[in-house]
């Protein structure tokens, strides 16, 4: 097979998809998978038969992976919760970066011990914790909490997905409300993955530089675009970007990872480092940036593809973009098969697949390379990239958000270059402002101007006739 990873990725995803609603004992799937694996080993000399058995094995492997996430162990924290009215005491450590505002602090707690009444039990699993007021907590910190445990609420949206489904996809089965300061005990111990702790510490330092001189609007937008913190984005701006079909600008994705990689490689080249050294440092930096921005699906996809590209540069081999994308696809689904049903996962991969398939065909159809004027070629390339992404994502946006935005192609042509300038300026503020405080206000004012321009342009576009309309 020319692109074996593509075939494996499709078969694995089909197994996850088809067995999502089908009730089959996981033991049956294990037996089928082991049997097919044995048949593969016995038929290695017969290529066609081997390929058939291997295809069925990968298909059922996807089903096993999905069913395995649906089976909870006897020590899972949700198995010990009998009533939402009784208070429980939980010991564990913070598994993500806490988010705080003036009203509450929320984070995911990786549980270790649960106590109900006089009985204590070792446990596992994640819970979403909500505390009243702002608390200065950090990733990896060990805590003892007292509060009520309850299951996330259901209630289906237009897409048929609920908030409970959203949390289940992230391995969170319970929520906990902690009402008073006395119900929170900090153990002053640190757990977690050390590279992620370092990345989040670095993120905190970058936030201080970024937020010191900028307006609240710029803080929200740049916090989302550069650091992956979307909770500070004003609701009006979020809705406006959704209407224009440019909400992807506020999500750290391939565009932002590409900018970070380019800046790192450019700086390292100015310092005179060899290509091999530049590539290794860039790979390490991109992994840290992935942890810094929350390890979301678009970032993981873009980081894996960038790492493959950089490794190809080191090994002096040209990587195949389809196999690279398939490897990222498989990596994410092996860790969490339920991501296949996440809208962010679907939009991210649909956009890249569409670019790979439609964009070259559009260029060949209109023979772009034969156009003499460079400016016209550049403009048409931008149109084709925007159109390719729109063709792939409009179906998902119509389904999940009940919206259709014809203005998206035009909006991307204008807003994406603005977003690139804004992102570059934001990173410049962080890097230069961190060392030369006197230059920070100049760069901050430039960031404020670019964000304000972005808001005005997007508002103008969504107010055009037939720019967008709701479905149903």
């Amino acid at each position: 097979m020319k692109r074996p990873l593509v075939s494996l990725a499709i078969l694995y995803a089909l197994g996850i998809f088809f067995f999502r609603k089908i009730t089959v004992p996981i033991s049956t799937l294990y037996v089928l998978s082991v049997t097919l694996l044995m048949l593969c080993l016995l038929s290695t000399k017969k290529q066609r038969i081997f390929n058939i058995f291997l295809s069925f094995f990968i298909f059922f492997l996807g089903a096993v992976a999905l069913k395995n996430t649906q089976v909870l162990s006897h020590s899972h924290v949700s198995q010990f919760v009998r009533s939402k009215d009784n208070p429980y005491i939980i010991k564990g450590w913070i598994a993500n970066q806490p988010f705080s505002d003036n009203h509450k602090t929320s984070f995911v707690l990786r549980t270790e011990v649960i106590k109900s009444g006089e009985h204590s039990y070792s446990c596992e699993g994640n819970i979403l914790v909500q505390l009243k007021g702002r608390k200065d907590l950090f990733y990896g910190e060990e805590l003892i909490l007292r509060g009520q445990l309850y299951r996330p609420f259901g209630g289906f949206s237009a897409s048929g997905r609920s908030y409970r489904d959203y949390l289940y996809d992230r391995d969170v089965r319970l929520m906990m409300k902690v009402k008073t300061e006395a119900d929170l005990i900090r153990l002053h111990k640190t757990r977690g993955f050390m590279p992620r702790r370092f990345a989040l510490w670095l993120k905190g330092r970058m936030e201080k530089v970024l937020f010191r001189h900028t307006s609240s609007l710029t803080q929200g937008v740049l916090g989302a675009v550069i650091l992956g913190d979307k909770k500070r984005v004003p609701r009006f701006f979020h809705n406006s970007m959704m209407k224009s079909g440019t909400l992807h600008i506020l999500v750290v994705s391939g565009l932002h990872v590409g900018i970070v990689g380019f800046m790192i490689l450019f700086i390292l080249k100015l310092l005179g480092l060899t290509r091999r050294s530049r590539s290794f440092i860039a790979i390490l930096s991109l992994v840290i940036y992935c942890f810094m921005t929350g390890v979301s699906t678009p970032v993981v996809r873009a980081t894996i593809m960038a790492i493959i590209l950089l490794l190809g540069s080191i090994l002096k081999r040209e990587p195949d973009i389809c196999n690279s994308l398939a490897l990222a696809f498989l990596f994410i689904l092996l860790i969490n098969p339920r991501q296949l049903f996440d809208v962010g996962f679907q939009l991210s991969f649909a956009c890249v697949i569409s670019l790979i398939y439609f964009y070259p065909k559009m260029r060949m159809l209109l023979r772009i390379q034969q156009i003499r004027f460079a400016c016209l070629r550049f403009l048409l390339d931008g149109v084709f990239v925007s159109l390719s992404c729109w063709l792939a994502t409009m179906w998902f946006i119509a389904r999940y958000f009940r919206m259709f935005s014809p203005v998206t192609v035009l909006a991307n042509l204008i807003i994406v270059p603005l977003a690139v300038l804004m992102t570059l300026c934001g990173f410049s503020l962080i890097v230069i402002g961190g060392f030369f405080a006197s230059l920070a206000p100049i760069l901050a004012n430039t960031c404020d101007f670019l964000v304000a321009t972005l808001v005005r342009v997007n508002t103008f576009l969504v107010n055009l006739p037939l720019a967008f309309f709701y479905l149903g």
Side-chain angles (χ1 to χ4, degrees):
M1 289 184 289
K2 184 179 179 181
R3 290 168 173 165
L5 286 178
V6 176
S7 302
L8 294 178
I10 293 172
L11 289 167
Y12 189 79
L14 286 174
I16 296 171
F17 179 78
F18 280 113
F19 281 89
R20 182 190 180 192
K21 299 293 185 181
I22 299 175
T23 303
V24 179
I26 192 170
S27 56
T28 303
L29 293 174
Y30 271 120
V31 171
L32 280 171
S33 299
V34 172
T35 303
L36 287 165
L37 178 60
M38 295 299 296
L39 290 171
C40 285
L41 295 175
L42 293 172
S43 59
T44 51
K45 294 181 179 180
K46 299 178 181 179
Q47 190 65 40
R48 182 173 297 179
I49 297 175
F50 172 79
N51 289 339
I52 293 172
F53 285 140
L54 179 63
S55 299
F56 278 106
F57 170 69
I58 298 299
F59 176 81
F60 282 105
L61 194 64
V64 168
L66 176 66
K67 295 298 180 182
N68 198 50
T69 65
Q70 298 173 347
V71 178
L72 300 179
S73 67
H74 294 296
S75 60
H76 194 275
V77 62
S78 61
Q79 307 282 21
F80 300 99
V81 178
R82 299 290 179 263
S83 171
K84 68 177 183 179
D85 297 322
N86 297 332
Y88 292 87
I89 296 175
I90 298 281
K91 177 180 176 293
W93 54 276
I94 300 174
N96 68 336
Q97 185 181 30
F99 172 77
S100 297
D101 57 24
N102 294 328
H103 304 291
K104 67 177 181 180
T105 300
S106 60
F107 56 86
V108 174
L109 188 80
R110 186 74 51 84
T111 62
E112 294 178 333
V113 177
I114 182 170
K115 183 177 181 181
S116 177
E118 298 299 322
H119 302 284
S120 297
Y121 308 93
S122 296
C123 64
E124 61 183 11
N126 299 328
I127 62 174
L128 179 63
V129 179
Q130 294 181 344
L131 309 175
K132 282 191 174 181
R134 179 182 289 273
K135 301 291 188 297
D136 187 20
L137 303 172
F138 56 88
Y139 166 78
E141 186 175 4
E142 285 195 21
L143 303 173
I144 296 177
L145 303 172
R146 183 179 184 275
Q148 293 177 323
L149 286 169
Y150 58 97
R151 300 189 187 281
F153 61 85
F156 290 96
S157 64
S159 64
R161 304 276 291 166
S162 67
Y163 184 58
R164 180 181 297 173
D165 294 327
Y166 171 82
L167 291 179
Y168 279 12
D169 289 347
R170 285 149 183 80
D171 197 27
V172 175
R173 302 283 175 149
L174 292 171
M175 298 179 69
M176 185 181 207
K177 280 189 176 180
V178 180
K179 296 181 179 179
T180 65
E181 191 78 30
D183 293 327
L184 166 66
I185 299 175
R186 306 178 74 165
L187 300 179
H188 303 289
K189 295 180 180 179
T190 303
R191 301 281 295 279
F193 190 43
M194 185 173 291
R196 189 172 187 181
R197 289 211 310 269
F198 171 74
L200 293 177
W201 171 83
L202 186 62
K203 179 179 179 179
R205 303 282 293 185
M206 293 170 71
E207 282 181 340
K208 289 180 180 179
V209 176
L210 191 63
F211 297 168
R212 189 175 298 150
H213 302 284
T214 54
S215 66
S216 59
L217 175 61
T218 303
Q219 291 172 15
V221 174
L222 289 184
V225 169
I226 295 176
L227 303 176
D229 188 359
K230 299 187 289 291
K231 293 183 179 179
R232 290 188 176 90
V233 177
R235 175 58 57 182
F236 83 89
F237 186 59
H238 180 277
N239 292 338
S240 179
M241 297 291 280
M242 182 182 292
K243 292 172 183 176
S244 67
T246 55
L247 191 60
H248 61 91
I249 295 300
L250 299 178
V251 179
V252 178
S253 59
L255 173 67
H256 309 86
V257 172
I259 291 172
V260 171
F262 171 78
M263 291 181 67
I264 292 168
L265 290 172
F266 179 74
I267 293 170
L268 294 176
K269 189 173 183 179
L270 290 179
L271 295 175
L273 273 68
T274 63
R275 175 183 291 185
R276 182 180 293 267
S277 299
R278 294 199 303 266
S279 297
F280 277 123
I281 294 173
I283 289 172
L284 180 61
S285 301
L286 290 177
V287 171
I288 292 173
Y289 185 67
C290 182
F291 283 123
M292 188 186 301
T293 53
V295 203
S296 64
T297 297
V299 184
V300 174
R301 173 193 57 75
T303 301
I304 291 174
M305 295 183 73
I307 288 173
I308 293 172
L309 181 65
L310 290 167
L311 288 175
S313 175
I314 294 171
L315 300 173
K316 297 182 180 180
R317 294 186 63 181
E318 188 72 25
D320 182 86
I321 188 169
C322 293
N323 275 330
S324 301
L325 183 65
L327 181 61
F329 185 91
L330 281 169
F331 179 83
I332 294 169
L333 292 185
L334 284 169
I335 294 174
N336 184 1
R338 294 174 67 96
Q339 280 290 306
L340 182 66
F341 311 108
D342 180 76
V343 60
F345 179 94
Q346 294 170 7
L347 285 171
S348 177
F349 280 94
C351 189
V352 179
I353 291 170
S354 183
L355 278 173
I356 294 172
Y357 183 77
F358 287 116
Y359 173 65
K361 293 185 180 302
M362 291 178 184
R363 295 187 92 249
M364 288 178 62
L365 184 64
L366 292 185
R367 301 177 181 179
I368 297 298
Q369 294 296 341
Q370 297 181 13
I371 297 176
R372 295 182 179 180
F373 300 102
C375 291
L376 182 57
R377 285 202 308 270
F378 180 79
L379 178 62
L380 287 174
D381 275 332
V383 171
F384 293 155
V385 168
S386 181
L387 183 59
S388 298
C389 292
W390 181 68
L391 287 172
T393 59
M394 65 177 179
W395 312 106
F396 296 99
I397 293 171
R399 181 192 173 197
Y400 289 111
F401 305 110
R402 313 303 298 170
M403 184 182 294
F404 183 70
S405 303
V407 77
T408 298
V409 176
L410 175 61
N412 276 296
L413 282 175
I414 303 171
I415 288 177
V416 169
L418 265 175
V420 171
L421 288 174
M422 183 180 69
T423 305
L424 288 170
C425 190
F427 276 114
S428 300
L429 172 59
I430 291 170
V431 175
I432 298 174
F435 293 99
F436 305 100
S438 59
L439 297 177
I442 300 172
L443 292 168
N445 289 334
T446 306
C447 288
D448 287 338
F449 171 76
L450 290 171
V451 170
T453 303
L454 183 68
V455 172
R456 292 191 187 99
V457 169
N458 195 75
T459 302
F460 170 78
L461 290 170
V462 297
N463 286 325
L464 291 173
L466 299 177
F468 72 96
F469 47 89
Y470 293 101
L471 303 173

